[in-house]
């Protein structure tokens, strides 16, 4: 089985969110199942090289987008500590920029061209390498034109090898669809026949994700609950009808996490280590975190942590109004995040009024994210919606009990604490309301006052298995099914 996984970001090379973690970890688990999996991503200038700098394998691919002609080169490296090849598709004019998708909060205006280029170049790369996958696994709108092209671009449809390739389109977040003006159909040189209401068209404009949803052979998303939710108007972001039409082809597969990277017993970012068998190091992590963030070093005060894009999705509209009441309690709060300017300034301002009790770090800092997962007591994730969510999975592993809303992957991974605390791994709020958040927090604080029960719950959470092995097998079965249909 040969699979090419395409993603606009892959950890540890370039990352803005959970998609990169998935694209960096799933292939490692697929490889262990014997799949010949390879990865391709754009060759951004921001890429952090891990190990060897890659070598050029294809010096020149010509890519036409409408009237414009671009050149790609392909360099090949490997995912760290593996023999999984990763191809970087290079074009300095398109990818050597300060951001991946945007700068100063503004999307690059040529994003449709940048990612259409990536899609086309990735397909022609297959021909250049002479390595033809059975399945191309596409992720999010940046790669959604691959199924569209394979089913409609005259040169690709006629190619005897390319026409046999099956495509899986995975949705990591319905909120980002790649919507562009109608003119891009011509600018990208797409077959005009795909621009209609049953194709790429969406209310007079181009919806790239819709193209993926319509033209891919199979669809998946990152949790079973989100797979159901996105077929409803409340979560489908306007494409729920398209998804209902394809319900038979849509699977929900929960993301796993990379336990080599996120393991409190070995984590290289931590000042001390711990495990479910021996939790002692967690207290040292908490103390070091309090010192690092300028919080009072108090062992017994529950430390709430939040690591998040600062976006309405993540629950800030109910968290911010609840903060005055939360901060009247005997708790500490540490927030790490970047995002919307108004959220950033509100958080910074509240933290300033609560020195020693609340700390806000407005940057992207992977090491600090690890130290916060380890040093915190309670992880806040009151998301409005959450396709899968990774931070609650990291929190479970680090014994930092998650407070989540019952939605998407949060519903599939955090078990609500029983009234007598005999089972459960976290604190679950039902409705997206400030009162519900405060109620769930009170439940957490009550449990915190009972150290024995708290510890038992931590151990239960830490022993949950969210490794990739199980989910990778589900993907492998899906690829087999698709390739079987191909044969
Ligand atoms: P999403 O993909 O919606 O942003 P996820 O929970 O699926 O949310 O994944 C977010 C990933 O990005 C996690 O690995 C998280 O630790 C990381 N992350 C988010 N914000 C920051 C930040 N400011 N600094 C470091 N890591 C962050």
């Amino acid at each position: 089985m040969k699979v090419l996984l395409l993603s606009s970001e892959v950890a540890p090379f370039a990352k803005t969110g959970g998609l990169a973690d998935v694209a960096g970890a799933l292939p490692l688990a697929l490889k262990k199942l014997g799949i010949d999996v390879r990865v391709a991503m754009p060759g951004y200038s921001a890429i952090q090289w891990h190990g060897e700098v890659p070598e050029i394998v294809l010096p020149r691919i010509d890519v036409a987008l409408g009237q414009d002609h671009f050149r790609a080169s392909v360099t090949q490296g490997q995912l760290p500590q593996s023999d999984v090849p990763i191809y970087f598709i290079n074009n300095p004019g398109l990818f050597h920029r300060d951001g991946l998708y945007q700068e100063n909060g503004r999307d690059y205006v040529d994003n449709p061209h940048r990612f259409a280029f990536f899609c086309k170049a990735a397909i022609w790369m297959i021909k250049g390498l002479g390595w033809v996958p059975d399945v191309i696994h596409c992720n999010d709108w940046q790669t959604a034109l691959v199924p569209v092209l394979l089913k409609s671009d005259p040169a690709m449809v006629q190619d005897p090898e390319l026409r046999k390739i099956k495509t899986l389109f995975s949705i990591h977040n319905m909120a980002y669809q790649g919507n562009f003006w109608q003119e891009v159909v011509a600018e990208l040189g797409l077959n005009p026949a795909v621009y209609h209401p049953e194709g790429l068209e969406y209310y007079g404009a181009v919806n790239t994700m819709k193209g993926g949803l319509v033209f891919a052979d199979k669809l998946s998303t990152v949790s079973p609950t989100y797979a159901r939710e996105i077929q409803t108007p409340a979560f489908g972001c306007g494409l729920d009808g398209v998804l209902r039409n394809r319900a038979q082809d849509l699977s929900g597969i929960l993301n796993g996490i990379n336990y080599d990277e996120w393991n409190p017993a070995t984590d290289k970012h931590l000042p001390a280590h711990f495990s479910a068998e021996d939790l002692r190091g967690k207290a040292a992590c908490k103390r070091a975190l309090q010192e690092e963030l300028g919080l009072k070093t108090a062992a017994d005060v529950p430390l709430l942590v939040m690591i998040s894009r600062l976006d309405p999705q993540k629950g800030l509209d109910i968290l911010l109004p609840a903060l005055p009441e939360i901060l009247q309690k005997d708790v500490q709060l540490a927030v790490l995040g970047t995002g919307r300017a108004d959220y950033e300034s509100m958080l910074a301002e509240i933290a300033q009024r609560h020195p020693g009790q609340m700390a806000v770090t407005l940057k992207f800092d992977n090491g600090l994210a690890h130290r916060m997962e380890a040093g915190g007591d309670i992880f806040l994730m009151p998301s409005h919606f959450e396709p899968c969510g990774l931070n609650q999975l990291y929190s479970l592993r680090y014994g930092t009990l998650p407070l989540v809303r019952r939605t998407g992957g949060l519903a599939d991974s955090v078990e609500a604490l029983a009234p007598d605390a005999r089972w459960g791994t976290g604190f679950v709020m039902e409705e997206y309301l400030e009162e519900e958040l405060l109620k769930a927090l009170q439940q957490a604080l009550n449990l915190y006052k009972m150290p024995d029960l708290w510890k038992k719950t931590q151990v239960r959470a830490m022993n949950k298995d969210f490794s990739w092995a199980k989910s990778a097998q589900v993907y492998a079965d899906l690829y087999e099914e698709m390739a079987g249909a191909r044969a």
Side-chain angles (χ1 to χ4, degrees):
M1 171 64 58
K2 299 204 278 286
V3 176
L4 176 63
L5 185 138
L6 300 181
S7 176
S8 59
E9 49 185 89
V10 181
F13 300 103
K15 163 168 166 175
T16 69
L19 168 61
D21 291 335
V22 175
L26 170 61
L28 304 180
L30 292 171
K31 187 80 183 185
K32 289 195 184 127
L33 297 175
I35 293 177
D36 178 5
V37 56
R38 307 186 187 190
V39 181
M41 69 177 289
Y44 305 110
S45 47
I47 284 181
Q48 299 178 0
W49 298 119
H50 290 255
E52 287 163 44
V53 175
E55 53 171 315
I56 294 197
V57 285
L58 293 175
R60 177 171 174 168
I61 303 176
D62 293 305
V63 178
L65 296 182
Q67 301 302 312
D68 295 323
H69 292 266
F70 294 83
R71 260 195 219 174
S73 70
V74 179
T75 44
Q76 179 182 341
Q78 284 173 344
L79 290 184
Q81 277 113 47
S82 82
D83 53 357
V84 175
I86 174 162
Y87 300 109
F88 301 95
I89 296 185
N90 306 300
N91 178 295
L94 295 174
F95 297 128
H96 285 194
R97 306 205 179 160
D98 286 347
L100 303 195
Y101 316 119
Q102 52 163 255
E103 254 167 72
N104 306 321
R106 299 173 83 146
D107 287 346
Y108 295 124
V109 285
D110 59 351
N111 273 346
H113 310 79
R114 298 170 75 224
F115 292 103
F117 166 84
F118 174 59
C119 291
K120 279 197 173 173
I123 295 172
W124 292 128
M125 173 187 84
I126 289 170
K127 296 295 288 179
L129 293 172
W131 177 83
V132 186
D134 299 286
V135 174
I136 301 184
H137 183 163
C138 303
N139 294 280
D140 276 353
W141 74 263
Q142 292 90 345
T143 59
L145 286 178
V146 167
V148 179
L149 290 164
L150 285 175
K151 294 239 168 82
S152 67
D153 182 278
M156 295 178 188
V157 173
Q158 282 160 25
D159 185 282
E161 290 177 319
L162 296 180
R163 60 186 297 166
K164 287 198 204 135
I165 298 174
K166 297 287 177 184
T167 51
L168 169 65
F169 181 69
S170 291
I171 303 156
H172 295 261
N173 195 331
M174 285 303 297
Y176 302 92
Q177 301 183 354
N179 289 300
F180 305 111
W181 54 101
Q182 178 187 339
E183 287 72 19
V184 298
V185 175
E187 288 171 21
L188 303 182
L190 299 176
N191 185 337
V194 298
Y195 188 72
H196 59 81
E198 261 75 65
L200 270 184
E201 195 247 358
Y202 185 77
Y203 294 104
V206 166
N207 184 313
T208 322
M209 177 183 268
K210 189 177 169 211
L213 299 181
V214 171
F215 287 97
D217 297 295
K218 290 278 180 190
L219 307 176
S220 74
T221 188
V222 289
S223 68
T225 297
Y226 196 59
R228 289 191 296 276
E229 287 173 341
I230 56 179
Q231 296 178 53
T232 66
F235 292 92
C237 301
L239 294 177
D240 44 293
V242 181
L243 286 158
R244 282 194 299 278
N245 280 339
R246 298 223 50 199
Q248 295 304 317
D249 293 317
L250 171 64
S251 332
I253 308 173
L254 196 70
N255 286 336
I257 60 177
N258 183 346
Y259 284 134
D260 292 336
E261 165 87 9
W262 293 92
N263 177 357
T266 55
D267 190 329
K268 61 179 191 294
H269 300 286
L270 305 188
H273 293 113
F274 57 95
S275 64
E277 291 71 45
D278 181 358
L279 268 158
R280 280 172 300 175
K282 191 164 170 71
C285 290
K286 178 170 177 178
R287 190 184 167 87
L289 181 66
Q290 288 169 324
E291 281 168 3
E292 176 177 358
L293 297 176
L295 297 169
K296 279 193 211 113
T297 45
D300 297 332
V301 177
L303 173 51
L304 320 179
V305 294
M306 181 175 198
I307 304 163
S308 183
R309 284 187 292 117
L310 301 176
D311 181 277
Q313 173 194 337
K314 300 293 183 180
L316 290 141
D317 294 329
I318 56 171
L319 178 65
L320 282 165
L323 277 186
E325 190 171 333
I326 292 175
L327 291 166
Q328 274 175 13
K329 300 175 194 284
D330 189 21
V331 299
Q332 295 182 342
L333 172 62
V335 181
L336 169 63
T338 56
R340 242 172 61 174
D342 55 339
Y343 291 145
E344 291 195 355
S345 55
M346 274 188 271
L347 283 166
E349 192 257 329
I350 301 171
Q352 217 169 27
R353 282 191 277 126
H354 295 86
Q357 189 191 12
M358 174 173 170
V360 170
T361 311
L362 300 172
K363 60 180 180 183
F364 199 95
D365 184 336
N366 184 46
L368 180 56
H370 283 250
R371 293 191 291 282
M372 284 174 60
E373 286 288 6
D377 295 302
I378 298 165
F379 193 89
L380 297 183
M381 205 160 172
S383 301
H384 187 40
F385 66 92
E386 196 61 71
C388 175
L390 294 171
N391 275 308
Q392 85 280 12
L393 303 179
Y394 303 147
S395 305
L396 290 168
R397 190 51 144 205
Y398 282 65
T400 303
L401 299 182
L403 184 164
V404 304
R405 194 168 98 78
R406 193 190 296 282
T407 181
L410 301 175
D412 294 332
S413 57
V414 179
E415 213 181 305
L417 189 77
D420 60 1
R422 285 234 305 259
W423 71 85
T425 55
F427 316 100
V428 179
M429 45 188 280
E430 297 291 334
E431 301 299 323
Y432 187 67
L433 294 169
E434 190 186 325
E435 304 86 83
E436 288 268 313
L437 170 59
L438 289 166
K439 206 169 90 189
L441 180 61
Q442 198 50 53
Q443 191 193 18
L445 298 178
N446 293 344
L447 186 71
Y448 189 81
K449 291 200 194 103
M450 299 182 274
D452 283 353
L453 284 179
W454 183 265
K455 191 173 164 201
K456 278 192 182 135
T457 311
Q458 280 181 307
V459 170
R460 224 170 17 239
M462 294 175 82
N463 283 328
K464 289 276 163 195
D465 180 8
F466 291 103
S467 61
W468 264 110
K470 215 169 18 172
S471 299
Q473 185 62 56
V474 184
Y475 278 107
D477 294 344
L478 188 57
Y479 300 147
E480 285 292 344
E481 185 191 331
M482 295 171 70
R486 172 192 146 157

